[in-house]
Amino acid sequence: MRKKIIAGNWKMNMSFDEAEDLLFNIVDKLDPNLPKNIEVVVCPPAIFMELATDVADDSLMKIGGQNISNHESGAYTGEISASMLGSLEVDYCIIGHSERRKYFKESNQLIGEKVTVALKNGIKAIFCCGELLNEREAQNHFAIVKTQIEEALFHLDEKSFRSVVIAYEPVWAIGTGVNATPQQAQEMHAYIRKLISGKYGAEIADITTILYGGSCNSQNAKELFANPDVDGGLIGGASLDAEEFLKIINSI
Ligand code: 13P
């Protein structure tokens, strides 16, 4: 059975005290009988990573980074390496988020390097892909996602690919309040699974977790997660409120 994941991407939000409150609120209220195939991942800003892994210790909550350097170590002022995350027992890292692509000009090539370095250091990659509004309007959405996946992931061998989670996040749905319809999400997720099957075979495709992200909240989560190829969500704004995030977790 493939893993289902609800991951919260806090982006650049929260003070230390707010982060501490939110982390404890999530951990304290997580269902202790959460089915084994469901994982909850919280991705706070890097500065709160040690706090987060401390709070998460011995709980059902896993912790992820939001970004890492493509370099292993060295003179890269301001950067954070995969091995640093690994040394704090961080399990996941979001890589290739559309905000990184847009504001920090991250290319598929660079994102591919980050995925490689994450996996090499035992960090599972939550790889983000998704089209812009004009790309969907021009009916180019499948081609765009295909290129993003091929260029950033398909250099991986089969064993490494098993540690990749894919998050389909149509850029027009991020922070807009306009989520993809369950049909649009299912259609793209099925397409992504087919791409993976073509490269790595049906067994790997079948166990790959594919998340939906973009204005996912407690109102629309159930309908989105009901689709056979939607294995959970990467949640932005709605992950900043414990009650709301827990409701989304309970929708899977
Ligand atoms: P929102 O849920 O705020 O639309 O953000 C989605 C996202 O970008 C998660 O990575």
Side-chain angles (χ1 to χ4, degrees), residues 104-169:
F104 303 94
K105 308 283 176 262
E106 293 195 3
S107 64
N108 291 332
Q109 154 86 28
L110 178 79
I111 292 164
E113 289 170 21
K114 292 186 176 196
V115 170
T116 301
V117 85
L119 300 180
K120 192 173 159 203
N121 285 279
I123 308 282
K124 296 183 196 108
I126 302 178
F127 167 81
C128 301
C129 57
E131 80 285 356
L132 303 171
L133 181 60
N134 66 314
E135 292 165 341
R136 178 164 279 267
E137 285 171 347
Q139 302 295 316
N140 272 339
H141 44 297
F142 292 117
I144 293 290
V145 168
K146 179 171 190 267
T147 303
Q148 290 172 337
I149 290 178
E150 283 178 351
E151 292 188 0
L153 292 181
F154 280 4
H155 63 286
L156 298 172
D157 62 23
E158 186 189 303
K159 184 166 172 283
S160 304
F161 192 83
R162 286 173 183 263
S163 297
V164 173
V165 170
I166 296 190
Y168 170 56
E169 300 207 305

Side-chain angles (χ1 to χ4, degrees), residues 172 179-187 212 224 227:
W172 48 269
N179 58 286
T181 64
Q183 293 74 19
Q184 287 170 324
Q186 169 56 26
E187 188 184 40
Y212 168 76
L224 284 159
N227 290 286

Side-chain angles (χ1 to χ4, degrees), residues 163-209:
S163 297
V164 173
V165 170
I166 296 190
Y168 170 56
E169 300 207 305
V171 180
W172 48 269
I174 296 178
T176 59
V178 182
N179 58 286
T181 64
Q183 293 74 19
Q184 287 170 324
Q186 169 56 26
E187 188 184 40
M188 182 59 86
H189 286 222
Y191 174 76
I192 292 170
R193 206 176 299 285
K194 209 170 94 202
L195 276 181
I196 298 167
S197 180
K199 171 76 180 170
Y200 296 103
E203 192 225 318
I204 300 284
D206 195 48
I207 59 162
T208 302
T209 301

Side-chain angles (χ1 to χ4, degrees), residues 7-9 11 94 97-99 128 167 169 173-177 213-217 234-239:
N9 175 8
K11 307 192 180 183
I94 298 170
H97 192 280
S98 65
E99 288 148 18
C128 301
E169 300 207 305
I174 296 178
T176 59
S215 297
C216 184
N217 57 39
L234 181 54
I235 319 297
S239 72

Side-chain angles (χ1 to χ4, degrees), residues 10-20 23 42-55 63-64 66 80 85 88 90:
W10 290 7
K11 307 192 180 183
M12 198 174 72
N13 292 295
M14 297 282 150
S15 66
F16 183 89
D17 288 349
E18 289 166 344
E20 191 172 36
L23 289 163
V42 171
C43 304
I47 195 165
F48 304 139
M49 211 50 82
E50 189 184 355
L51 165 71
T53 50
D54 278 353
V55 176
I63 300 300
Q66 298 179 7
I80 289 169
L85 290 189
L88 287 179
V90 169

